[in-house]
Amino acid sequence: RAAGQSVADLTGKHVLISAGGTREHLDPVRYLGNSSSGKQGYALARIAAARGAKVTLVAANSELPDPAGVQVVPVTSTRDLYDEITGRAADADAIVMAAAPADFRPADVAEHKIKKTADGSVPAVSLVQNPDILQTISHDRARPGQVIVGFAAETGDAQHSVLDLGRAKLERKGCDLLVVNDVSGGKVFGSDLNEAVILDRTGTALPVPSTSKDALAGIIWNLVSTHWP
Ligand code: CTP
Ligand code: CA
């Protein structure tokens, strides 16, 4: 069915969605961040709510307005996002990780603003790895029958196609569906359009030609519905 039809087919389901890009603070005013707009996650929340689901949206640093009828939980860092998603996972019939968590964070956060020094010496930033939220919830499976969806933005490289990398990532993460975006040449980021291939664990690859983020959200919910027992 097409997105935008007002069929309440997700009534009785609780869906948990993450959106936006996390920030990892270096000091009180500076952070490492990324340019995820949050648009795809917000579209997923809006469409699920329109189709009757109870929706919780854990939103990392997005400027977008709260979608009507959606519980929005604001977070800053990947560890905040980890806490909110893992803490809410047992209540969710589906979890969609549309957020772009930072893979690394500064090992230390300065209590006060970092200042330049008179001798011109430059501070070194050492990083530590953040927890992998998608992998954790996929391996823990906090609720039977829960469907877990990840996203992957890939460019491919000399040895691997975008799809090869997507298949390997689906396997590594242990989620049920992986929405793979080809971002070579600066596609997708911040755009209202999205082109993707959706992989599942049986090896099926569903290509979704360039379409609106709302329409892609509708297709994702259709697929999630087919995975519910
Ligand atoms: N993800 C997550 N926790 C992280 C990093 C990523 O839950 N710490 C989720 C993202 O929300 C996305 C999926 O995992 O749904 C894939 O993110 P991606 O950055 O492509 O995966 P990584 O394992 O970090 O791989 P890469 O080295 O390619 O960045
Ligand atoms: Ca990553």
Side-chain angles (χ1 to χ4, degrees), residues 57-110:
L57 176 63
V58 182
N61 312 298
S62 180
E63 307 270 279
L64 298 170
D66 289 0
V70 169
Q71 184 195 9
V72 179
V73 179
V75 293
T76 303
S77 69
T78 295
R79 285 188 296 172
D80 298 339
L81 184 58
Y82 179 94
D83 290 344
E84 293 296 345
I85 296 290
T86 58
R88 294 165 191 277
D91 287 334
D93 297 298
I95 306 176
V96 184
M97 284 296 300
D103 293 336
F104 308 103
R105 67 177 183 275
D108 303 294
V109 183

Side-chain angles (χ1 to χ4, degrees), residues 130-143:
N130 272 323
D132 191 317
I133 303 159
L134 181 60
Q135 193 166 61
T136 302
I137 58 175
S138 297
H139 289 175
D140 289 358
R141 296 287 169 168
R143 184 185 178 104

